[in-house]
Amino acid sequence: MIENIDDNEIRKKLENINEKIKESLTNISKEVGKNIEEAKQQIKNRVRQKHNFNKILKEYREIPNIQLMPNLENDFNYILNPVLFCLANLEIITQFSLLDDQERKELMKKLGNDYFITKFIDLMEKMRNKNIPNPSYNLVHQHLKTLNLNNYMNQDPAFIINSILTLIQNEINIANNYPNIITNYFSTTLNIEKNCHRCGGVVQISPIDKLVVDLFLREPDVAADEALQSILINLLMGEENKKGTCIYCSGVTDNTIMIGGLKKYLIFNLNRKHDVFHRMKFTCSDPLKLEIKKGIEEYKYEYELISVLTDVHVDYYDQQINLEQNRTNVKVFFKNFINDNYYMKINGKYEEVSQQVFHEEINRHKPNILIYKRI
């Protein structure tokens, strides 16, 4: 039996559907228009900030000033000042520290002087100030010493950088509605998959956000010299790469770790926990080209090497050895974002060098921290 259907009823249903489609399209159009206007305003604000920033920079030093290796007692962490110097050379940190915009004023007012970020910004500004020949870093050291207690003397630069950036990130989060420059510019997402050898099953693990990404150098069978570009994925496999049991067939699983999300800055720590004799040697890739897959989409990124900390002695068992070696050994290499020139600071002296010499010298030493900036 064929059911009789009223034409008028069908027409009304079609009209309702059409109305809903029109309403949805109108809402989508409004939302798209709103997003376009917001993007335009953000671009205008960014251009205005950049213009103001460039004007301000003319009043400050091109190269920040801080004593990298002051001759002090053994209760002073000699790695902290070189780390502060590397951070001071980053454009976003400099801009955040020097631009006296209303939003930042409100942030500082809300947080007050008891927070680390106020001491950090004050030091970053003084390191650029031409009228301050020897800016004091004591308040920053003291604050970190109070917070970290026994960890203040930690000689691992990755620990120090991560501690500073995390501290700033958390303090900015306390002030609601303020853009977090650490999360927005430094946070790198690592995707982890558990892969089964027996059945081929794959289990996705919750992504991990890192401010400093460890690259685990493995002690090779023979002296090795490879480019970072070619071995990056292998170097990501570290402490998280623990064997497990497959939930599908009870077979043995290994982890695959991939970079799943990138920001403006990418900070690598060359972790030699498994290469304590420093036998692994590699060439720092510059530019560093990365491909990120998100679903069916593939994104290509290119990063330039802008800052390197080398020859930091990180002994996981003997802190005293670290202190004695790091008092004089640490070297800093950096590209100046103001004039695009390359520099290295060795034995307490700055030297401007060509890009070629910059890379040759880095590869001749033992890098600890590599800071890349998206081109």
Side-chain angles (χ1 to χ4, degrees):
M1 177 180 179
I2 300 176
E3 184 179 350
N4 291 324
I5 301 177
D6 187 350
D7 287 345
N8 288 331
E9 185 179 344
I10 294 174
R11 190 179 297 111
K12 286 180 180 178
K13 287 183 178 180
L14 287 174
E15 288 175 354
N16 286 335
I17 291 171
N18 286 331
E19 285 299 319
K20 288 180 180 179
I21 291 173
K22 287 180 181 178
E23 184 179 344
S24 297
L25 289 174
T26 301
N27 290 336
I28 291 172
S29 178
K30 288 180 180 177
E31 188 64 28
V32 170
K34 179 183 176 183
N35 289 339
I36 291 173
E37 288 303 315
E38 287 179 354
K40 285 182 179 178
Q41 190 58 45
Q42 287 175 358
I43 291 171
K44 287 180 181 178
N45 291 340
R46 184 65 179 159
V47 170
R48 185 177 68 253
Q49 281 188 338
K50 189 71 175 177
H51 175 72
N52 292 339
F53 183 50
N54 289 336
K55 285 174 61 179
I56 290 173
L57 282 179
K58 295 178 181 178
E59 304 171 11
Y60 287 86
R61 290 190 182 98
E62 288 188 345
I63 298 175
N65 180 42
I66 192 172
Q67 282 184 291
L68 288 191
M69 292 294 152
N71 187 20
L72 299 172
E73 299 300 323
N74 281 343
D75 62 347
F76 180 83
N77 191 336
Y78 285 92
I79 304 305
L80 184 49
N81 278 10
V83 165
L84 290 169
F85 181 85
C86 289
L87 294 177
N89 272 292
L90 302 184
E91 184 176 3
I92 188 62
I93 296 291
T94 305
Q95 185 172 354
F96 181 69
S97 303
L98 298 187
L99 269 182
D100 199 20
D101 63 275
Q102 189 59 37
E103 279 187 327
R104 207 199 75 180
K105 283 182 180 178
E106 291 299 320
L107 173 67
M108 294 299 101
K109 184 177 179 182
K110 179 175 279 191
L111 292 178
N113 293 327
D114 291 334
Y115 284 84
F116 174 77
I117 192 171
T118 57
K119 300 174 178 65
F120 177 81
I121 289 175
D122 182 64
L123 177 58
M124 294 293 107
E125 191 278 331
K126 287 178 178 175
M127 286 170 66
R128 293 273 180 183
N129 196 319
K130 295 177 181 178
N131 298 318
I132 302 178
N134 294 302
S136 173
Y137 40 79
N138 293 335
L139 289 179
V140 167
H141 277 258
Q142 191 58 48
H143 195 106
L144 292 174
K145 186 181 292 186
T146 302
L147 285 177
N148 292 328
L149 299 176
N150 295 333
N151 281 329
Y152 164 75
M153 293 302 293
N154 192 305
Q155 296 295 285
D156 186 353
F159 171 83
I160 298 171
I161 293 177
N162 188 70
S163 297
I164 290 174
L165 294 182
T166 300
L167 191 53
I168 296 172
Q169 183 183 48
N170 292 340
E171 290 184 353
I172 293 178
N173 283 338
I174 293 173
N176 295 328
N177 302 321
Y178 189 87
N180 199 313
I181 65 163
I182 306 303
T183 306
N184 295 343
Y185 287 87
F186 293 92
S187 183
T188 300
T189 302
L190 298 181
N191 291 335
I192 303 176
E193 294 179 349
K194 286 186 176 293
N195 302 275
C196 179
H197 295 281
R198 182 190 293 172
C199 71
V202 177
V203 177
Q204 303 285 341
I205 308 299
S206 298
I208 300 174
D209 291 327
K210 296 274 190 178
L211 297 176
V212 180
V213 178
D214 274 312
L215 299 181
F216 290 88
L217 301 183
R218 303 287 176 175
E219 184 171 8
D221 295 330
V222 295
D225 188 356
E226 297 184 78
L228 175 61
Q229 183 79 56
S230 65
I231 58 174
L232 177 59
I233 297 301
N234 291 335
L235 294 179
L236 287 170
M237 311 297 285
E239 300 304 311
E240 296 87 356
N241 189 30
K242 296 176 181 176
K243 294 186 182 298
T245 302
C246 178
I247 61 174
Y248 303 116
C249 71
S250 298
V252 177
T253 62
D254 275 327
N255 290 347
T256 299
I257 305 176
M258 297 165 289
I259 294 178
L262 291 164
K263 299 295 175 61
K264 186 75 172 178
Y265 296 95
L266 178 57
I267 304 178
F268 287 130
N269 170 50
L270 302 187
N271 190 315
R272 291 187 181 270
K273 187 174 183 179
H274 307 298
D275 179 31
V276 292
F277 297 109
H278 290 214
R279 296 185 68 201
M280 170 64 81
K281 182 176 174 58
F282 68 94
T283 303
C284 298
S285 300
D286 189 16
L288 178 64
K289 298 179 181 180
L290 301 172
E291 294 183 0
I292 306 298
K293 290 185 178 179
K294 295 182 180 179
I296 61 172
E297 300 291 333
E298 188 175 273
Y299 300 87
K300 295 183 179 181
Y301 300 91
E302 196 166 309
Y303 282 77
E304 65 172 335
L305 187 62
I306 60 169
S307 190
V308 179
L309 195 61
T310 75
D311 297 330
V312 179
H313 194 277
V314 182
D315 189 295
Y316 295 94
Y317 307 103
D318 194 333
Q319 182 97 314
Q320 192 60 38
I321 292 177
N322 296 340
L323 291 171
E324 291 172 359
Q325 295 204 18
N326 290 335
R327 187 190 293 269
T328 56
N329 285 0
V330 180
K331 302 167 185 65
V332 178
F333 300 81
F334 63 98
K335 179 183 179 182
N336 191 305
F337 70 86
I338 299 174
N339 57 27
D340 287 333
N341 294 334
Y342 293 86
Y343 298 86
M344 57 186 189
K345 187 159 186 174
I346 299 177
N347 298 326
K349 296 181 180 179
Y350 288 110
E351 183 181 352
E352 184 179 337
V353 294
S354 67
Q355 184 176 6
Q356 180 180 346
V357 171
F358 178 79
H359 292 125
E360 288 174 352
E361 284 294 319
I362 290 171
N363 293 327
R364 193 168 66 84
H365 293 278
K366 297 183 177 68
N368 299 88
I369 297 294
L370 308 174
I371 302 180
Y372 283 90
K373 178 183 177 183
R374 193 167 64 215
I375 300 173

